[in-house]
Every structure is written in C-alpha cells, then in structure tokens.
C-alpha cells in the first residue's frame, strides 16, 4: 500500500508551492520549516514564503520571459502567484507585492488547509519517508548541507554561484566577431569578440569605474576566492585581463590577419547555439552597469542580455548529474528536489520548480508516472535546462526567452516574442488538459 503522506522540507517559495500542489489534490503533507527556531543568514521572520530581498517578482509584461512564467504558473494553479496578485502594490510594469501581506497570505492558506501540517523543525538528516521533497533553498542549513554533500559527493553541491552574463546570438554584431579556438584546437568552438588597444582602454576604464552590488553581511569577500569577479581582476592592473579572460594568444582575426589586442570569448550555452556565455566574465556589477560596460565591446554593441552575471551565496546541486527533468533524484526517484537548490534562479523560478516537484510527489503517491511540461513552455524549458545542461560547467539559470527552442519560422523583435509566448501558452494548455484530467 502506498504512503498517504508526502514530506516537504523547507517552507520557502518552492516548498510552500509544493505543499499546496499536493494538499489541493487531497493528499496529506508534512511541511518542515526550521524558522523561527533556527534562522538563515537572510531570513528574518517565521512566516512561510518569506521574500529575502526585493519585493519585486519582476516584469508582468506578457511578452517577457518573467511575464510568461507568471501566466504559466497561473494556468497551473500556483498558490504563490495567487497570493502575489492578491497582495500586489503599484510597481510599474513589475509585479510588486507587500512582502508582509504576501507571506502572511501563503502561510494562512497553507495553515488553514487541514491536509497540511507545518512543523517547526530543522531537518538535519534525510528522513526515510517517501515521497520526499527537498526545498531548503540557497541557504540550506549547515547540517543538511553536509548530509547532502555526503550523499551527492563533493563535486555536486555548490555553496556560491559565479555567473557570467549570457547574450543572445541574434543580437551579436558578427561583423566584429569570428569563430575559432585558440591555436586552431577544438574546431570553431568559440565566437571571439576582438578589441583594439583603444577599444580595450575605453572598456577597461569603464569596467574599473563601474558599480558592484554591495555584499550581504554574511557574504565574506574570501568566500569567492579562486573565482574572482572580472572587475576585481581588472583592478589588479591594466594588463591583468590581457593575461586572463581577455588574452588574445592563439587567435588570429581574419579581418586583419593579426592577433587582436584583446579578446572576449563567447561559448555556446545551449545545443541550438541561440545563447552564448561570456567566458570568464563572472561579475558582481549592477545590471545597468553590466549592460553599459559590456556593450563597449564592439561585437556586443547591441547585445541582448538574456541573463546578467552574479556572484552570491547559493547552495545548489549539480542537477544535470543528479536530477531528471521531473525533478526526481536519479538515485532514489521518490526523492524530489525543488526551488533554488536545483539551480533555478529567482523567486518565481523557484516556485515553478516547487509546483512541478509537488505535482510529481503527489503522482508518485497515486502510482502515476511523473511528468514535466513541454520544452516550448518556460517552465519546461527551465527544467530541461537545469537537468540537461553540461554538468561540467553547470551554473544556475533564470527564466529567459533564449532557453525556449527556436521558432519554426523566421521572426524577430516583438513578433518573435509574441510567437514564442503564444506557442508556450498553447502547448501548456494542451499539456495541462491531458495531465490534469487523470
Ligand atoms: C540573499 C539572497 C537574496 C535574494 N534575492 C532575490 C531577489 O531579490 N529576487 C529573486 O528573484 N531572487 C532572489 N534570490 C534567489 C531566490 O529566488 C530566493 O532565494 C528564493 O527564496 C528561493 O526559493 P526557495 O524556496 O528555493 O528557497 P527559500 O525561499 O530560501 O526557502 C527555503 C526554506 O527552507 C528552510 N530551511 C533551510 N534548511 C532547512 C532545514 N534543514 N530544515 C528545515 N527547513 C530548512 C529555510 O528556512 C527557508 O524557509 C535571493 C537569494 C538570496 C540568498
């Protein structure tokens, strides 16, 4: 006989959403949340679904990736999104919430549900209960992190992220770029963006003068040792980057027949080659500064930044190695991971992972096969990305239109956005009709 209960560890955005998805289908949930008995370095309250930083859930424009994600979550009956709409305050084109009312609303809804039992307890070891959803977030407690590190292996649990920006291929000025690998080894694996001495000097000056984000009190600079932000490297000396991430050795610019003065290398981020990662450009600069400074690289003058760089404290697992797109752990498929710990990045991305993990934990209790939305939807594309990206270079990913498969027709600008978002919602609707009917 199947277990009638599901255990969820972590009552943040993902765990709360997972608990709602399970309980709303009639199955009992035990939700473990350690706060307020034990706090994380960023959480300050004992309520569920606390927003640790900004109270903005990003753009609500239906033609943006964040706007699409919101509509998909709404279509699938997300508690978090419903609470956000209910507690929204004016925020321009962004969905902005009253943080206190938002968390209270999620907490009230779950605590009122007779099928949800919230226990204030830090889980230090993985319980034997199955199905089990682990949603302990980017600040997973030390004891559980140690347990996960032991279970997953040293190479599979990270404690901070060092993310380089990603630009869309179609926005790169190919007149100022060329495909090649250093010394011709490895084929045309990199798209190289050369800079002359004058261009480098302008770029360098803007980089060292740009504004980094302040560190949180619990983020020591020494935390990031061994993986320095590009702006910190630049501050060591005017030529440091020329011997590091911008070194031109082994490359010949076909336009001049000579070695460029400096080079930024872009590496394909997905199989379709629609997204390119700026190699070695992990950064803590503010987003507007990233756009302004990196757009001084001639090939990136009109670049569309699909993901900005960031470096912060973040516990996440090597999902391509350990998880299926259904968010089941390969080694023990009745254990599911959800939220930021899977390598999705952002409040609503975490909620989306919680929604799918909750749905699948419930399906396991009913002996139904776990599922995930089509790749053409934002949620499906995110899950595929985090579980199928290269395990060797795995970095967290936020919702962006670049992770969606290309359209079967030529389209650009607003037309492309409209076609991508319409396709996503149509495919999600058909998927939902099929999956939610049984
Ligand atoms: C400092 C910081 C600022 C961020 N700012 C933003 C932002 O402005 N915008 C944005 O979109 N994203 C932001 N993020 C990223 C991310 O979207 C959020 O962290 C988001 O809350 C992740 O959702 P989650 O459910 O995975 O984790 P959380 O919301 O952190 O939930 C995890 C829960 O698990 C609990 N827990 C941890 N360990 C245990 C344990 N062993 N036993 C029981 N309970 C446990 C925690 O107390 C917490 O309530 C930020 C991340 C950090 C670390």
């Amino acid at each position: 006989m199947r277990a009638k209960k599901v255990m969820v560890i972590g009552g943040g955005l993902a765990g709360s959403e997972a608990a709602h998805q399970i309980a709303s289908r009639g199955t009992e949930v035990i939700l473990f949340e350690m706060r307020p008995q034990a706090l994380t370095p960023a959480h300050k309250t004992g309520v569920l679904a606390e927003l640790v930083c900004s109270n903005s859930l990003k753009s609500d424009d239906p033609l943006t990736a964040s706007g699409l994600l919101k509509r998909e979550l709404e279509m699938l009956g997300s508690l978090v999104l419903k609470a956000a709409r209910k507690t929204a305050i004016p925020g321009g084109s962004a969905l902005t919430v009253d943080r206190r009312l938002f968390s209270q609303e999620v907490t009230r809804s779950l605590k009122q549900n007779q099928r949800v039992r919230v226990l204030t307890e830090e889980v230090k070891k993985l319980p034997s209960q199955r199905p089990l959803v682990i949603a302990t977030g980017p600040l997973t407690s030390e004891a559980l992190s140690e347990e996960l590190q032991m279970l997953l292996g040293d190479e599979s649990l990270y404690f901070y992220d060092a993310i380089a920006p990603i630009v869309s291929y179609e926005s790169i000025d190919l007149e100022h770029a060329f495909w090649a690998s250093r010394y011709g080894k490895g084929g045309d694996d990199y798209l190289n963006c050369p800079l002359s001495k004058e261009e480098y000097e302008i770029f360098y000056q803007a980089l060292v003068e740009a504004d980094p984000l302040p560190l949180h009190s619990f983020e020591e600079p020494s935390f990031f040792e061994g993986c320095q932000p590009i702006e910190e490297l630049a501050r060591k000396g005017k030529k440091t980057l020329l011997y590091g991430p911008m070194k031109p050795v082994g490359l010949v610019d076909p336009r001049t027949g000579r070695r460029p003065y400096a080079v930024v290398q872009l590496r394909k981020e997905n199989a379709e080659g629609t997204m390119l990662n700026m190699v070695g450009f992990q950064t803590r600069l503010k987003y507007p500064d990233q756009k302004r400074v990196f757009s001084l690289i001639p090939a990136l003058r009109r670049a569309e930044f699909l993901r900005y760089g960031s470096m912060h404290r973040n516990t996440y697992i090597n999902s391509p190695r350990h998880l299926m797109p259904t968010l089941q752990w390969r080694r023990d498929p009745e254990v599911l991971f959800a939220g930021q710990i899977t390598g999705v990045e952002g409040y609503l991305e975490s909620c989306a992972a919680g929604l799918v993990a909750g749905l699948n934990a419930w399906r396991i209790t009913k002996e139904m096969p776990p599922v995930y939305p089509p790749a053409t939807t934002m949620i499906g594309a995110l899950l595929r990305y985090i579980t199928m990206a290269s395990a060797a270079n795995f970095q967290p990913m936020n919702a962006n239109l670049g992770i969606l498969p290309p359209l079967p027709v030529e389209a650009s600008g607003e037309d492309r956005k409209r076609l991508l978002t319409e396709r996503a919602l149509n495919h999600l609707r058909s998927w939902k009709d099929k999956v939610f009917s049984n």
Side-chain angles (χ1 to χ4, degrees), residues 9-16 32-35 38-40 42-43 47 49-58 121-124 135-141 143-144 216 218-219 312-314 338-341 344-351:
I9 314 176
L13 294 163
S16 298
F32 286 91
E33 171 50 60
M34 66 180 186
R35 292 177 293 117
L39 289 178
T40 76
H43 291 82
V47 285
E50 179 180 335
L51 299 176
V52 281
C53 193
S54 169
N55 62 336
S56 163
L57 307 186
K58 300 189 190 146
E121 189 179 321
E122 178 186 348
V123 176
K124 297 186 176 176
T136 44
L139 304 167
T140 295
S141 73
L144 190 62
H216 290 280
F218 55 90
E219 290 175 324
H312 45 61
R313 172 74 209 277
N314 189 9
Q340 186 104 351
I341 199 167
V344 295
E345 168 84 30
Y347 292 148
L348 289 186
E349 287 85 343
S350 298
C351 161

Side-chain angles (χ1 to χ4, degrees), residues 174-175 177-180 192 194 251-260:
L174 295 174
E175 297 274 307
F178 59 95
W179 288 102
N192 300 282
L251 292 167
V252 175
D253 185 343
R255 293 174 311 166
T256 60
R258 290 204 309 270
R259 186 164 100 173

Side-chain angles (χ1 to χ4, degrees), residues 8-17 19-20 31-36 43 45-52 79-80 83 99-112 116-120:
V8 176
I9 314 176
L13 294 163
S16 298
E17 186 63 56
H20 168 75
L31 176 58
F32 286 91
E33 171 50 60
M34 66 180 186
R35 292 177 293 117
H43 291 82
T45 72
V47 285
L48 301 173
E50 179 180 335
L51 299 176
V52 281
L79 166 69
V80 166
R99 67 173 70 242
R100 194 177 52 89
L101 293 182
F102 164 75
S103 302
Q104 277 175 3
E105 179 62 22
V106 175
T107 308
R108 186 196 56 76
S109 173
L110 287 173
K111 288 199 170 165
Q112 266 180 9
V116 182
R117 221 170 117 212
V118 181
L119 298 181
T120 307

